[in-house]
Amino acid sequence: MASQAPVYHDPIFGELSRILGLQVANAQMSFSEGVQHTILEAIEARQAKVDSLLGAISELRTLYNRTSPISILPPELLTVVFLYATSDGEGNADIISISRVCRHWRDSSLQTPALWTRILLDHPAGIEAFLERSRP
């Protein structure tokens, strides 16, 4: 009777088996290109699901934001509010914050060149963006 090599159970292979549905019995299996390819495919499939879910979440957030009472304000009125909110001359943080509230506010703020005309030199990386946005 031929002796069999001992079977060493490794938690990594057990986890691999559970996640991928592979029949990984012991540590004698090496991480060959085939196994790596299978793992990579599983990663890519799960990433595609995550990306799809993130897209759905983004759409739901947009719908949720549209139910807010302020979302019924027309862009022209939002522009007046934005100009007032940024009129103190204390920096660019106000307009940057406004442009990050929701898609509607971002679109409205980006369509208002007057909001982007005060350019502070303390953030050189943002200067070009402000110059581009300040053009009518």
Side-chain angles (χ1 to χ4, degrees):
M1 175 184 268
S3 67
Q4 292 184 327
V7 175
Y8 301 99
H9 293 285
D10 186 322
I12 292 173
F13 292 106
E15 186 69 6
L16 192 65
S17 177
R18 184 189 67 76
I19 292 172
L20 301 177
L22 297 174
Q23 296 303 314
V24 182
N26 60 52
Q28 291 174 338
M29 180 180 153
S30 68
F31 279 102
S32 66
E33 285 184 22
V35 173
Q36 287 178 334
H37 180 73
T38 301
I39 294 170
L40 186 58
E41 284 178 342
I43 290 169
E44 290 170 352
R46 283 162 178 79
Q47 185 64 53
K49 287 180 185 179
V50 167
D51 292 344
S52 175
L53 289 171
L54 289 174
I57 289 170
S58 177
E59 290 175 19
L60 288 171
R61 284 186 175 144
T62 298
L63 290 173
Y64 177 79
N65 288 339
R66 288 183 184 165
T67 65
S68 171
I70 200 164
S71 69
I72 64 170
L73 294 178
E76 299 81 13
L77 189 52
L78 276 177
T79 297
V80 172
V81 172
F82 295 163
L83 287 168
Y84 179 77
T86 60
S87 64
D88 64 1
E90 292 297 319
N92 297 334
D94 293 339
I95 187 55
I96 292 170
S97 295
I98 286 170
S99 71
R100 292 180 176 171
V101 169
C102 66
R103 193 171 294 152
H104 178 56
W105 284 28
R106 180 169 181 76
D107 292 343
S108 294
S109 68
L110 291 176
Q111 296 299 318
T112 309
L115 289 171
W116 304 96
T117 56
R118 188 178 63 243
I119 301 170
L120 300 180
L121 300 178
D122 57 344
H123 290 51
I127 292 174
E128 189 158 334
F130 270 73
L131 287 171
E132 180 66 32
R133 293 171 184 172
S134 67
R135 292 188 185 121

